[in-house]
Amino acid sequence: MAISVIPPAIPVSSYISIARTLLQDTVDSPYRYSDSDLVVALNVGLGEIWRLRRDLFLGRSFAPKFDGADNTTDIVPLDEGYRMALVYYIVGFIQLRDDEEVQDQRAAAFLSLFNAKLGTVS
Amino acid sequence: MTVGLDVQRLMNNARIRLPGATDDAIQYALFTVMDDFFKGSNTWQEDVDVFVPGGDPAGTVYQLVTETSSTIDKLMWVFQKSTSPNFMRGPSISASMSTPGELVLTTQPSSDITYTATLSLTVQDPTTRDGYVQFPAWVLAKYRNVILDGLVGSMMSQPSKPFSNTTLSVFHMRKFNSKVAAARVEMMRNNTFRQQAWRFPSFSSGSQRGNSGWGGPV
């Protein structure tokens, strides 16, 4: 079996799609959370990863950032192994804005998962 | 660019022991580990011929340039280049290298002469296009476990990472440091089993004229 040596390129749209699944927001009629909001969350999440794990962005001088929801085919320069950490951050960040108690708990849980995935073997 | 099997094995061993570490981070740490290894063990050496015209004033600086992509770390010893086919080298001479790459002789020769300076080298940028640090292949083949210990120990010493582990880091770094010391001794003995790390001074077997100081392994 041939093993691919090309790193998988994961676009912004893939992160948005997975986050929507966890947010239970997959039906566009319209979406509860817009693509723009999710891209903002993704940018903030990348900034947090930049702060905590600079080794994941070796060779870069700034944290990667994406403009709005128009360029969702752009590739997120993050190791595949940390994809779920970023997804958890997006979901947690988005749910922070809901003021229902249950949503706060979910947000805290996702943000804890984000930190755990970056700093520990979990 | 194809990465050698020995490098793949090293990387795979490191990946197994370092959950969550990216290849970029491992390659980055490998550079530092190899730098420590070469500076501590002097295993990477190169002979550089230096032509010294007779009559140069005392304190003349001679530039040492290596053929390999490397950084000069230490001046090991300097010998007069042998003019005889039966001898590897001529008598040793006294010299210094306060600034790496700048050779200064203690005594200037009165006639043209070529000296051979043995330099201890270490790694330098740039790495290969794949991000791997460059050094002689035999070093990895001979010291693969030493390098792995240094690499894993160095990575595990980083704070707040999935692969952080203070206890194991200390364990691996101790192994690394002791094996670097062993490699240094092996190099002093030219990797020859039971060869003594010293020799009789030259005056004991011949003339007492000229410099008779220790000049490295025979």
Side-chain angles (χ1 to χ4, degrees), chain B residues 138-211:
Chain B
W138 71 266
V139 175
L140 181 55
K142 182 169 166 49
Y143 296 108
R144 58 169 71 100
N145 288 336
V146 186
I147 294 166
L148 181 63
D149 274 322
L151 185 56
V152 172
S154 164
M155 290 290 286
M156 285 179 168
S157 71
Q158 297 178 21
S160 304
K161 305 284 194 316
F163 45 85
S164 301
N165 190 320
T166 311
T167 311
L168 278 179
S169 171
V170 171
F171 169 74
H172 284 293
M173 289 313 289
R174 275 189 185 150
K175 278 174 73 180
F176 174 71
N177 288 330
S178 73
K179 287 176 182 174
V180 167
R184 182 170 60 243
V185 173
E186 282 184 344
M187 199 60 203
M188 283 171 64
R189 297 178 179 182
N190 286 336
N191 290 313
T192 305
F193 183 61
R194 296 187 75 175
Q195 171 158 306
Q196 56 201 15
W198 54 273
R199 65 170 186 169
F200 288 107
S202 56
F203 65 75
S204 68
S205 58
S207 168
Q208 293 186 35
R209 297 169 60 187
N211 186 298

Side-chain angles (χ1 to χ4, degrees), chain B residues 4 10 21 28 57 61 68 70 79 86 93 118 125 129 132 141 148 152 167 173 197:
Chain B
L10 176 74
Y28 212 77
V61 172
T68 50
S70 57
F79 283 91
N86 297 327
I93 63 138
T118 302
D125 282 316
R129 199 168 45 181
Y132 288 100
L148 181 63
V152 172
T167 311
M173 289 313 289

Side-chain angles (χ1 to χ4, degrees), chain A residues 53-95:
Chain A
R53 292 291 305 275
R54 196 65 67 93
D55 60 312
L56 298 177
F57 300 107
L58 287 176
R60 286 181 167 271
S61 303
F62 304 97
K65 195 175 178 184
F66 298 92
D67 294 328
D70 297 332
N71 301 310
T72 55
T73 54
D74 289 353
I75 302 302
V76 179
L78 183 66
D79 190 90
E80 188 188 15
Y82 292 92
R83 174 167 44 177
M84 281 314 291
L86 183 53
V87 169
Y88 287 149
Y89 188 88
I90 296 169
V91 176
F93 182 86
I94 286 291
Q95 294 206 320

Side-chain angles (χ1 to χ4, degrees), chain B residues 7-209:
Chain B
V7 178
Q8 283 183 34
R9 179 174 293 278
L10 176 74
M11 289 297 288
N12 283 336
N13 272 318
R15 288 170 187 137
I16 290 166
R17 289 163 172 78
L18 301 167
T22 60
D23 281 7
D24 285 350
I26 296 173
Q27 288 173 341
Y28 212 77
L30 181 60
F31 186 98
T32 310
V33 169
M34 294 316 301
D35 191 38
D36 284 346
F37 177 79
F38 286 123
K39 283 178 177 169
S41 67
N42 302 323
T43 47
W44 187 1
Q45 296 180 2
E46 186 176 315
D47 288 344
V48 175
D49 286 348
V50 185
F51 175 73
V52 177
D56 275 355
T60 302
V61 172
Y62 302 96
Q63 297 296 329
L64 301 171
V65 182
T66 60
E67 289 180 0
T68 50
S69 172
S70 57
T71 303
I72 296 172
D73 180 37
K74 298 183 200 78
L75 175 67
M76 303 300 286
W77 42 77
V78 183
F79 283 91
Q80 190 174 324
K81 196 173 174 68
S82 174
T83 51
S84 163
N86 297 327
F87 296 101
M88 269 176 59
R89 58 196 183 192
S92 66
I93 63 138
S94 176
S96 61
M97 190 184 68
S98 302
T99 303
E102 295 185 353
L103 179 75
V104 177
L105 304 175
T106 305
T107 308
Q108 293 294 139
S110 54
S111 57
D112 293 359
I113 215 162
T114 301
Y115 292 122
T116 301
T118 302
L119 303 172
S120 169
L121 308 177
T122 185
V123 293
Q124 78 161 16
D125 282 316
T127 57
T128 64
R129 199 168 45 181
D130 288 342
Y132 288 100
V133 59
Q134 300 177 76
F135 56 89
W138 71 266
V139 175
L140 181 55
K142 182 169 166 49
Y143 296 108
R144 58 169 71 100
N145 288 336
V146 186
I147 294 166
L148 181 63
D149 274 322
L151 185 56
V152 172
S154 164
M155 290 290 286
M156 285 179 168
S157 71
Q158 297 178 21
S160 304
K161 305 284 194 316
F163 45 85
S164 301
N165 190 320
T166 311
T167 311
L168 278 179
S169 171
V170 171
F171 169 74
H172 284 293
M173 289 313 289
R174 275 189 185 150
K175 278 174 73 180
F176 174 71
N177 288 330
S178 73
K179 287 176 182 174
V180 167
R184 182 170 60 243
V185 173
E186 282 184 344
M187 199 60 203
M188 283 171 64
R189 297 178 179 182
N190 286 336
N191 290 313
T192 305
F193 183 61
R194 296 187 75 175
Q195 171 158 306
Q196 56 201 15
W198 54 273
R199 65 170 186 169
F200 288 107
S202 56
F203 65 75
S204 68
S205 58
S207 168
Q208 293 186 35
R209 297 169 60 187

